[in-house]
Amino acid sequence: MVDKIQIKNLSCYYNKKCVLESLTINVVKNEILSVIGPANSGKTTFLRTLNRMSDLEVSFKRTGDVFLNEENIFYMNMEFLRKRVSMLFAMPIPLPMSIYNNIIYAPKRLGLVNKKSDMDILVEQSLKDASLWNDVKDRLHTSAMKMSGGQQQRLCIARILAIDPEVILFDEPCSGLDPISTAKVEESMLELKRKYTILLVTNNVKQASRVSDRTAFFLMGKLIEVDKTEKLFISPKEKQTEDYITGRFG
Amino acid sequence: MRKSLDYIIETIIFICGMLSIIFVVLIFSFLLKEGLSFFKDFSFIKFITNQFWYPNSKIPSFGILPLICGSVLVTLGACLIAVPIGVMTALFISEIAPKGVRDILKSLVELMAAIPSVVIGFVGMVTIVPVVKNIFNLPTGLSAFSGSIMLGFMAVPTIVTISEDAIRSVPGQYKEGALALGATKWQTLRRIVLKAAMPGIIAAIMLGIGRVIGETMAVMMITGNAAHVPHSIFDPIRTMTSTIAAEMGETVRGGMHYKSLFAIGLVLFLITFIVNFIADLFLGKNKNL
Amino acid sequence: MIKLNPKLSQKLSYTLLFMATMLAIIPVLVIIFFIVKNGASSISWEFLTSMPRNGMRAGGILPAIVGTFSIVVCAIIITLPIGVCAAIYLNEYAKDNLLTRIIKLAIVNLAGVPSVVYGLFGLGIFVMFLKLGVSIIAGALTLSIMELPVIITTAKGALNSVPQSFREASLSLGVTRWQTIRYVVLPNALPGILTGAILSIARISGETAPILFTVAVFYVPNLPNSIFDQVMTLPYHLYIVSTQIPNMPKNVIYGTTLVLMMMVLTMSFVAIFGRAYFRKHRKW
């Protein structure tokens, strides 16, 4: 087992209010690590810090270190980091352009592809990997805004696959989706972990138990417990964890 | 590569962002430079208190009191017209008019702002001026009164647009609360909405005043251009702006007269600066509602 | 004091407000109607395309139209890129600090400076100090500074209407901030920026005071050859023919007024309808 990401003593603040307190945790290569916990437990902040999206907000401050392949991400070029650690948001956010251009947008800007033929191949491959190809292969040049919510979210996954990251961060990716679309997204995640390391933040405890290898429980900005998923769900060490997963609060 | 191009562009963008400050400072320092060199030869106190504007006589006198009086008189007159019409129109458009016609009404009001002031000046000259002359039996209709009417209508769009924004940004709960207590819609508007929107309305009025003080062409064409302290609103008057516009062409570049017009420009700049600053303060207040 | 029944007082007040609204709207319609009615007969192909003759009492207004056109085009070429960049700075880069507050205050004040003061400034800095003389470029520079706050404000609004989530989505893929602005934000803000630009063009074509001492002349016998020439302009021409020349034939004055007004109003309408159209057909 190789550690893909090591988080050491990470604390995060918004307007000097502590939202994440001295967090130390590691993420293993090619695993799915779920992060569960009630609202305001710091899950999303944690995720957004891993690819430094939270640095976009002025009121955000942090201490501690995060290593990606033993390289400190806070000393890395920010764009290069986000290419390697990409993120899927809670709501699907297709860019207001065609399906084809949505996929090719980032690879083009990052200089990953130049030739038209390479682009076509990349678009097809990414859409296939996100199991969207059959739905949209006849309308690649229509607006992505006209797709259904589930399709949009899979398009966003395809868009991430097109830049070939190492880690994918899922921020409650199914909160706006119906059960069938949710199942499809979960299916893709299981598919994807062969190639990528995945972090999944979710409000849905069942989802965590279905897809993840390990699960971490956050409460009020603190990591309470992290363990193999089946272990954490069957015999949690902490009382708070047990209360949460059995639905006594949150 | 990608980074260095970004860096160059972002530097350019930053400089463009700074340009507004640079221009304000540049305008102010230019006016100040010419103005101060004028005040070396003609005292500032005399400049604003002397009653006589005779820039071309043998012993020139540069008193802008009549010009200040002219500007103030026209501005007051215009406000008497523009403020009630503007605020009432804003209330009507934002709260009473049916939703479908709101945008049309607003566009029609704003149409006035699109018409060039020289056109308004010309129309005023051939319509209002003779009418004023006949009704009030005056030697000339070119007067502060005619000017006030035209300028009043020119200030209406400014007041309507900004007041309307202020009125619309009053939270719905305020209104619902009052209506739930049994007040009629009009009582709610008058006592609650108008009061809550007041900072925005004051800002709108200030900006309207700013527009009137700075107005040049229409005022020059309608108010008669007589540089003496007016006794009544039916006198011909001359404003600071129209003095600059009318006389700059005849001055010797760099001479006393030339510099005196920059000094008037400086006074105008400071007045509008203060007016806009106050408006901005009130607008800021409105946002914290 | 008589206490009115609330229902009645509401009715009365509404009528009053309605009348005020009519007072705000009718004058402008009267002005337009008045000018169209009096000016329509003097508009002809000859009036639009020939030089003035006989001390401007006959012939056409071609040099004034060309003059206004050249000044406005130069001004917008200068002011649009600067204004859009400034808007990008304020909307995309600026942090909420003292510097930003000063910039915003500066913009508010630029917008409030009287147009004739811009004329003075243009005379002082462009005509005299930079020795550009009374010329198209001096006038265009003056107008472009005057129009800068308007362009910045409308462009900033257009940029701000592009959802924040688009920026996040783009940044999260490793795309740089400038690329995000260039390829996602700007294309979607473009309709708003352009309608703002058209409104600005409309406004500056009607401005007189800033060009009085920087570019406009009473009469030139030929069309401009370069940006260092003096020109006649429509608004200044109207001022001259309506106030400075005795016994001016009415048709020349009304014709000039109508041409100027239609030019400005047409552009304003295009901008207003364009804005409404783009709002309706927005992609998000």
Side-chain angles (χ1 to χ4, degrees):
Chain A
M1 288 225 294
V2 189
D3 281 349
K4 185 72 187 171
I5 305 178
Q6 289 170 308
I7 294 115
K8 285 189 181 153
N9 220 359
L10 178 71
S11 297
C12 298
Y13 307 85
Y14 277 107
N15 291 324
K16 293 178 182 147
K17 190 174 162 280
C18 184
V19 289
L20 206 58
E21 207 182 319
S22 40
L23 174 71
T24 300
I25 191 172
N26 60 341
V27 185
V28 179
K29 196 161 188 265
N30 294 74
E31 76 165 344
I32 298 182
L33 173 70
S34 294
V35 179
I36 58 170
N40 298 323
S41 54
K43 303 173 299 198
T44 297
T45 306
F46 167 58
L47 213 58
R48 290 172 66 90
T49 306
L50 293 186
N51 69 345
R52 297 179 62 188
M53 288 301 283
S54 44
D55 284 6
L56 294 176
E57 281 140 281
V58 228
S59 57
F60 179 79
K61 292 268 162 351
R62 55 165 162 71
T63 58
D65 295 300
V66 176
F67 298 92
L68 175 69
N69 293 347
E70 294 174 351
E71 200 183 334
N72 194 328
I73 67 162
F74 299 126
Y75 299 125
M76 238 182 244
N77 173 316
M78 211 178 310
E79 283 80 31
F80 186 52
L81 169 69
R82 289 184 192 141
K83 188 249 165 230
R84 294 171 69 187
V85 182
S86 200
M87 182 165 199
L88 188 74
F89 298 92
M91 293 313 263
I93 311 171
L95 294 171
M97 42 179 92
S98 71
I99 296 172
Y100 186 95
N101 285 337
N102 256 284
I103 306 278
I104 215 67
Y105 166 73
K108 233 179 176 171
R109 303 279 83 82
L110 296 167
L112 302 177
V113 285
N114 293 310
K115 278 195 301 201
K116 176 83 173 81
S117 53
D118 292 347
M119 293 184 196
D120 291 345
I121 295 168
L122 182 63
V123 168
E124 181 172 346
Q125 194 53 49
S126 313
L127 286 170
K128 275 181 177 159
D129 290 346
S131 46
L132 192 60
W133 175 250
N134 287 328
D135 295 22
V136 300
K137 64 180 176 211
D138 302 323
R139 51 182 178 114
L140 288 177
H141 295 283
T142 58
S143 169
M145 309 302 271
K146 292 194 182 112
M147 306 162 86
S148 73
Q151 285 177 329
Q152 287 186 352
Q153 197 60 308
R154 275 182 284 148
L155 176 72
C156 293
I157 295 178
R159 198 166 63 186
I160 290 170
L161 302 184
I163 57 169
D164 192 33
E166 298 162 34
V167 180
I168 306 178
L169 311 171
F170 287 83
D171 182 11
E172 301 176 26
C174 302
S175 53
L177 302 185
D178 59 90
I180 296 170
S181 306
T182 303
K184 278 192 176 162
V185 171
E186 286 177 10
E187 219 172 279
S188 333
M189 268 190 258
L190 291 170
E191 198 62 31
L192 292 173
K193 79 166 186 182
R194 274 191 249 157
K195 227 178 133 191
Y196 308 99
T197 306
I198 293 176
L199 259 105
L200 167 68
V201 157
T202 180
N203 272 328
N204 183 339
V205 177
K206 293 226 175 68
Q207 182 170 53
S209 69
R210 281 196 297 265
V211 297
S212 55
D213 301 299
R214 290 194 305 149
T215 299
F217 174 60
F218 279 34
L219 184 64
M220 313 272 290
K222 277 186 201 141
L223 171 68
I224 304 296
E225 184 171 358
V226 56
D227 215 329
K228 287 242 155 37
T229 298
E230 53 275 29
K231 229 169 138 190
L232 185 117
F233 276 90
I234 293 162
S235 54
K237 287 192 214 97
E238 303 291 330
K239 171 96 173 48
Q240 288 158 316
T241 314
E242 193 185 338
D243 287 350
Y244 181 71
I245 56 181
T246 52
R248 250 170 254 166
F249 74 96
Chain B
M1 216 322 256
R2 198 157 72 108
K3 264 281 160 182
S4 61
L5 178 72
D6 278 28
Y7 180 74
I8 294 167
I9 289 169
E10 282 169 4
T11 312
I12 293 172
I13 286 174
F14 177 73
I15 292 169
C16 287
M18 293 303 113
L19 274 181
S20 303
I21 302 181
I22 294 171
F23 286 145
V24 171
V25 172
L26 214 56
I27 292 173
F28 180 66
S29 48
F30 229 88
L31 295 173
L32 197 65
K33 182 189 133 231
E34 299 284 351
L36 285 182
S37 84
F38 172 77
F39 292 129
K40 245 188 278 167
D41 298 327
F42 197 88
S43 91
F44 178 72
I45 303 293
K46 250 165 103 189
F47 180 64
I48 55 167
T49 54
N50 190 311
Q51 288 198 33
F52 303 103
W53 177 257
Y54 297 139
N56 291 322
S57 68
K58 257 189 203 136
I59 307 156
S61 166
F62 298 100
I64 62 165
L65 188 66
L67 314 179
I68 294 178
C69 289
S71 285
V72 169
L73 188 62
V74 173
T75 306
L76 282 180
C79 281
L80 284 181
I81 295 171
V83 171
I85 293 184
V87 175
M88 283 157 80
T89 304
L91 258 184
F92 186 81
I93 291 180
S94 56
E95 297 287 334
I96 300 166
K99 279 214 171 68
V101 297
R102 242 171 237 186
D103 285 339
I104 300 173
L105 287 177
K106 215 176 164 189
S107 304
L108 281 173
V109 170
E110 280 164 7
L111 201 57
M112 189 72 176
I115 298 197
S117 78
V118 64
V119 170
I120 293 179
F122 167 66
V123 173
M125 216 169 69
V126 294
T127 54
I128 303 257
V129 168
V131 170
V132 167
K133 179 180 152 123
N134 290 334
I135 291 183
F136 299 99
N137 208 1
L138 301 168
T140 170
L142 296 167
S143 61
F145 184 72
S146 313
S148 296
I149 295 177
M150 288 320 268
L151 285 186
F153 284 113
M154 287 173 84
V156 165
T158 311
I159 297 182
V160 172
T161 309
I162 295 160
S163 307
E164 208 246 5
D165 280 348
I167 293 169
R168 243 197 325 197
S169 66
V170 174
Q173 304 97 286
Y174 283 35
K175 283 178 247 171
E176 279 152 29
L179 289 172
L181 291 172
T184 63
K185 197 166 173 213
W186 168 242
Q187 287 168 330
T188 313
L189 281 186
R190 195 164 48 111
R191 294 195 195 140
I192 311 287
V193 177
L194 216 50
K195 206 169 164 194
M198 203 35 93
I201 293 174
I202 293 174
I205 295 170
M206 294 310 285
L207 290 174
I209 290 176
R211 166 124 212 235
V212 172
I213 294 178
E215 175 46 49
T216 311
M217 296 314 288
V219 132
M220 183 155 78
M221 293 163 87
I222 308 175
T223 54
N225 280 325
H228 56 72
V229 177
H231 298 291
S232 92
I233 193 150
F234 295 109
D235 279 1
I237 49 107
R238 170 177 244 187
T239 63
M240 292 184 276
T241 49
S242 53
T243 306
I244 298 174
E247 294 180 5
M248 187 47 97
E250 313 153 1
T251 60
V252 182
R253 301 284 153 92
M256 270 301 263
H257 190 189
Y258 173 87
K259 286 179 187 164
S260 72
L261 297 181
F262 273 89
I264 298 178
L266 181 64
V267 172
L268 267 174
F269 180 88
L270 292 175
I271 293 174
T272 48
F273 187 95
I274 294 166
V275 166
N276 282 292
F277 187 72
I278 297 173
D280 202 50
L281 285 184
F282 276 108
L283 274 184
K285 227 183 206 170
N286 210 48
K287 265 173 212 132
N288 302 333
L289 197 77
Chain C
M1 207 181 109
I2 317 159
K3 199 136 176 86
L4 278 177
N5 160 339
K7 277 264 165 62
L8 186 65
S9 112
Q10 168 156 328
K11 229 179 203 156
L12 275 175
S13 327
Y14 279 19
T15 318
L16 211 63
L17 294 185
F18 175 75
M19 276 161 39
T21 308
M22 289 300 111
L23 265 179
I25 290 171
I26 289 170
V28 67
L29 298 178
V30 169
I31 290 174
I32 294 172
F33 175 77
F34 178 78
I35 290 167
V36 171
K37 183 176 152 266
N38 287 294
S41 62
S42 37
I43 301 294
S44 65
W45 185 244
E46 202 220 334
F47 186 70
L48 297 175
T49 58
S50 62
M51 306 293 288
R53 276 178 284 117
N54 198 5
M56 302 202 277
R57 289 186 177 82
I61 53 168
L62 180 67
I65 296 176
V66 172
T68 291
F69 183 77
S70 36
I71 298 168
V72 168
V73 168
C74 286
I76 204 77
I77 288 176
I78 299 166
T79 195
L80 191 60
I82 297 178
V84 171
C85 284
I88 290 176
Y89 176 74
L90 282 174
N91 202 58
E92 309 289 330
Y93 290 98
K95 302 193 176 81
D96 189 14
N97 56 18
L98 186 67
L99 181 66
T100 308
R101 254 172 286 155
I102 294 174
I103 294 177
K104 284 182 181 159
L105 188 65
I107 292 170
V108 168
N109 279 296
L110 272 186
V113 172
S115 56
V116 73
V117 174
Y118 278 106
L120 278 182
F121 173 67
L123 171 68
I125 193 159
F126 299 125
V127 177
M128 309 282 285
F129 185 73
L130 296 178
K131 301 206 167 55
L132 294 170
V134 174
S135 61
I136 293 177
I137 186 68
L141 284 166
T142 310
L143 286 175
S144 62
I145 296 181
M146 189 180 106
E147 216 42 33
L148 193 60
V150 181
I151 297 272
I152 294 178
T153 313
T154 51
K156 187 166 170 273
L159 293 170
N160 200 26
S161 73
V162 177
Q164 191 60 31
S165 60
F166 290 176
R167 295 177 181 85
E168 290 213 333
S170 171
L171 290 172
S172 75
L173 294 165
V175 176
T176 64
R177 196 182 264 237
W178 164 247
Q179 287 176 324
T180 301
I181 294 166
R182 163 73 184 76
Y183 294 99
V184 176
V185 181
L186 268 184
N188 288 295
L190 203 59
I193 293 174
L194 287 183
T195 49
I198 296 173
L199 274 182
S200 289
I201 294 175
R203 210 177 80 120
I204 48 183
S205 4
E207 276 296 342
T208 319
I211 57 173
L212 278 178
F213 338 117
T214 52
V215 49
V217 284
F218 199 77
Y219 173 72
V220 272
N222 38 16
L223 298 177
N225 289 318
S226 82
I227 53 169
F228 298 105
D229 284 354
Q230 308 181 336
V231 285
M232 294 168 70
T233 75
L234 275 176
Y236 187 58
H237 188 67
L238 170 58
Y239 172 65
I240 294 294
V241 294
S242 62
T243 63
Q244 306 291 303
I245 306 179
N247 304 324
M248 197 69 200
K250 285 267 172 286
N251 66 327
V252 176
I253 309 179
Y254 282 107
T256 310
T257 316
L258 182 59
V259 171
L260 174 60
M261 195 186 70
M262 287 324 279
M263 213 166 110
V264 170
L265 288 187
T266 313
M267 284 188 283
S268 306
F269 276 127
V270 168
I272 290 168
F273 286 121
R275 192 164 49 191
Y277 177 86
F278 286 122
R279 268 200 196 139
K280 229 183 224 165
H281 293 80
R282 204 173 261 181
K283 289 188 225 141
W284 59 87

